Amino acid sequence: MTEFNNLLRSKVLKAGASAGLALAAVLTAGGSSYAAGDAQSGSFQTSDGLVVLQSAPRFISGYSLHCAEEMAKDSITGPEADRVVATKYSSARYDRAKKTWKYTGSKVVVVLNNSGYCVTAWRR
């Protein structure tokens, strides 16, 4: 078990994934022997019953047609949306029903799915 925790910790630290760091912390601190991942809900559950949500995406991987139309309508540029996501990812809110992340900037709101694909955006 110690070898598994050390391997997991080293891989996570190299990748810098905050969800992985949280999962590694739960695994080592809680003494759990495993964690089951659920790609649909974006969460992991340890054998102790603790649930760790996946972290919010840190960059935009693409734009839906609806998002592109809304951004054009509100004169939001790609770099402007990128800045909101890059600066607000730590305070992004997860909507379990829609399975999306909402990033609220001072002037722009951006909504991404778990893959970082921009679903919609609007100016406040």
Side-chain angles (χ1 to χ4, degrees), residues 20-70:
L21 288 172
L23 180 59
V26 169
L27 284 171
T28 55
S32 299
S33 58
Y34 69 90
D38 180 2
Q40 292 297 325
S41 69
S43 65
F44 297 92
Q45 184 161 359
T46 67
S47 59
D48 291 345
L50 297 173
V51 175
V52 179
L53 285 177
Q54 137 184 344
S55 68
R58 295 183 182 214
F59 60 90
I60 298 173
S61 62
Y63 299 88
S64 69
L65 177 60
H66 170 76
C67 181
E69 290 171 346
E70 292 299 309

Side-chain angles (χ1 to χ4, degrees), residues 3 12 19 26 30-31 39 43-44 58 76-77 82-84 87 93 97 100 103 114 117 119 123:
E3 289 175 322
V12 167
V26 169
S43 65
F44 297 92
R58 295 183 182 214
I76 300 170
T77 64
D82 287 336
R83 271 192 302 279
V84 171
T87 59
R93 299 283 183 186
T100 57
Y103 303 77
N114 285 327
Y117 202 73
V119 178
R123 194 167 292 281

Side-chain angles (χ1 to χ4, degrees), residues 76 80-89 91 102-110 122-124:
I76 300 170
E80 190 174 12
D82 287 336
R83 271 192 302 279
V84 171
V85 172
T87 59
K88 299 297 181 180
Y89 73 87
S91 61
K102 183 177 180 182
Y103 303 77
T104 306
S106 60
K107 296 181 181 180
V108 174
V109 177
V110 178
W122 64 90
R123 194 167 292 281
R124 296 177 78 190

